[in-house]
Amino acid sequence: MTTMSRAEITTPEVLSGESVVELSLRPQRLAEFIGQTKVKESLRVWIDAALARREPMDHALFFGPPGLGKTTLAELIARELGVNIRTTSGPALEKPGDLVGTLTNMREGDILFIDEIHRLRPIIEEFLYPAMEDYRIDIRLSEGPKAQTITMPIEPFTLIGATTRFGMLTAPMRARFGIVERLVYYPNEDLEHIVLRSAEVMKVEVDPGGAQEIARRSRGTPRVTNRLLRRVRDYAQVKADGRITADVANAALTMLDVDEFGLDDNDARILKTIIEKFDGGPVGVSTLAAATGEDATTIEEVYEPFLVQNGFLQRTPRGRVATPHAYRHFGYVVPTRDQASLF
């Protein structure tokens, strides 16, 4: 069985060594992409319009929690348009020169995909503005006040950006995207379809009960769904002749400490800390991070969105508050004090 800590099993982030496995499970056409129906319908229109006009598609921005398919959609758009895609990320771009070679070698209609685009340095953003609007780049030949700059035309291209923190994008950058789409957590029905499709690719037998059990513990995130499926497959291979039923899935996920809501050790530690050490809150995220030994940004980006959307946690002007649902889930007595006073 592949070694993985229990704290990692439900993270929506890509883990080391997962990229190759993820690629094998990704859909090959937009029609095969499960979920995000409204986004998919809109993209179909933009893609068909671009093909009909024989022009590059407008610049597009995808935002939402990690693991929902932003990178996959960018690759599917490139495949549907029949163009090449170059992939990079905001933290990887340190100076304009890092993009010059990529932009000058792109052919008309090609796609530049920038993940974590909210982390672009200001100098990179300024370099991209004329590229996005006028299809030209300004190249400095030297440094200093008398430095010469030459303007070089580039082929019309499409920039696709992805971010988990839409609010951190600068207003000028946001304004340059003609297409802005929000990806949301998946309902269990869509995740069940993903389990069954991935199981078919992986050549593992899963009955409807097993698919349902994996889906409802997947935190609304396809990346987590596929990771849980791989771990349950390992368990089934050793303990249950390779067939995943509801009982087998339940036993495997219980062993991994993933409960019926998809909460793992980290979620439990965050909620129990708020309840036990801070009387249910409110508590600031920095204080919570120090008390749990977790990074504040990780709490905000990875754990909080799921906990808030599923009613375990509330964000208030005074800090984070554990809900009555969280108290009941972990077997605590719900306090009788007026919760409204916390807001």
Side-chain angles (χ1 to χ4, degrees):
M1 187 179 293
T2 303
T3 301
M4 180 182 297
S5 76
R6 293 179 179 183
E8 290 178 326
I9 195 73
T10 57
T11 178
E13 304 289 350
V14 179
L15 299 177
S16 176
E18 276 192 331
S19 298
V20 175
V21 180
E22 272 205 343
L23 283 173
S24 68
L25 298 177
R26 285 180 181 172
Q28 299 303 304
R29 307 298 300 182
L30 187 61
E32 298 174 8
F33 187 91
I34 298 169
Q36 308 294 342
T37 304
K38 290 183 178 179
V39 174
K40 208 163 57 169
E41 289 174 353
S42 297
L43 289 178
R44 186 74 267 168
V45 173
W46 314 139
I47 290 169
D48 289 346
L51 289 171
R53 292 194 305 268
R54 296 184 179 179
E55 295 177 357
M57 196 180 84
D58 205 350
H59 303 304
L61 177 67
F62 298 133
F63 70 98
L68 300 187
K70 295 183 286 293
T71 303
T72 300
L73 283 174
E75 293 173 348
L76 291 176
I77 290 170
R79 193 169 285 122
E80 296 286 338
L81 290 171
V83 299
N84 297 316
I85 182 171
R86 311 289 180 90
T87 300
T88 185
S89 68
L93 300 173
E94 297 184 356
K95 57 187 186 301
D98 295 337
L99 275 175
V100 170
T102 299
L103 290 172
T104 54
N105 286 319
M106 292 176 75
R107 292 183 287 190
E108 183 174 357
D110 280 358
I111 290 173
L112 172 62
F113 176 68
I114 302 180
D115 198 10
E116 296 184 87
I117 196 169
H118 64 276
R119 295 177 63 183
L120 282 179
R121 298 186 177 195
I123 191 172
I124 303 292
E125 285 195 19
E126 295 289 343
F127 178 76
L128 279 172
Y129 293 156
M132 296 173 71
E133 290 186 323
D134 304 320
Y135 303 118
R136 62 176 177 82
I137 54 175
D138 299 322
I139 303 175
R140 294 172 64 90
L141 299 180
S142 59
E143 297 298 328
K146 296 183 179 180
Q148 286 186 306
T149 301
I150 62 169
T151 299
M152 180 180 295
I154 58 174
E155 293 287 350
F157 73 103
T158 297
L159 175 64
I160 298 180
T163 177
T164 56
R165 308 194 75 177
F166 183 71
M168 289 186 66
L169 276 177
T170 62
M173 177 58 83
R174 285 201 305 266
R176 284 169 169 79
F177 288 99
I179 300 169
V180 179
E181 298 287 352
R182 177 173 179 259
L183 275 65
V184 297
Y185 285 116
Y186 286 57
N188 285 350
E189 299 77 38
D190 287 343
L191 295 174
E192 288 175 35
H193 288 303
I194 290 172
V195 172
L196 295 172
R197 180 191 176 276
S198 297
E200 187 176 346
V201 173
M202 294 163 59
K203 294 181 172 55
V204 58
E205 187 179 354
V206 180
D207 69 17
Q212 186 178 40
E213 195 68 30
I214 294 171
R216 72 191 185 100
R217 303 192 191 204
S218 296
R219 304 172 69 91
T221 306
R223 180 175 291 147
V224 177
T225 301
N226 286 327
R227 186 182 299 132
L228 293 182
L229 174 61
R230 295 198 301 275
R231 301 289 70 77
V232 175
R233 173 201 59 182
D234 292 346
Y235 181 91
Q237 183 177 337
V238 175
K239 302 280 190 178
D241 299 324
R243 185 167 184 268
I244 299 175
T245 63
D247 289 340
V248 169
N250 179 60
L253 295 171
T254 298
M255 183 187 73
L256 292 166
D257 284 341
V258 180
D259 72 15
E260 66 271 23
F261 289 100
L263 303 186
D264 62 12
D265 289 348
N266 283 344
D267 300 301
R269 189 170 76 254
I270 290 168
L271 292 172
K272 288 179 178 179
T273 297
I274 295 174
I275 293 170
E276 294 176 357
K277 295 185 178 180
F278 301 101
D279 296 325
V283 56
V285 68
S286 298
T287 304
L288 181 59
T292 57
E294 190 60 81
D295 178 67
T297 301
T298 302
I299 290 176
E300 286 187 304
E301 292 187 10
V302 177
Y303 300 110
E304 269 192 1
F306 179 78
L307 294 175
V308 170
Q309 290 200 19
N310 286 271
F312 291 99
L313 188 69
Q314 286 183 319
R315 299 176 67 169
T316 76
R318 294 172 57 194
R320 277 60 178 172
V321 177
T323 65
H325 182 37
Y327 276 84
R328 287 190 291 267
H329 180 67
F330 292 109
Y332 296 100
V333 176
V334 179
T336 55
R337 59 197 169 89
D338 184 7
Q339 289 287 330
S341 66
L342 300 175
F343 299 89

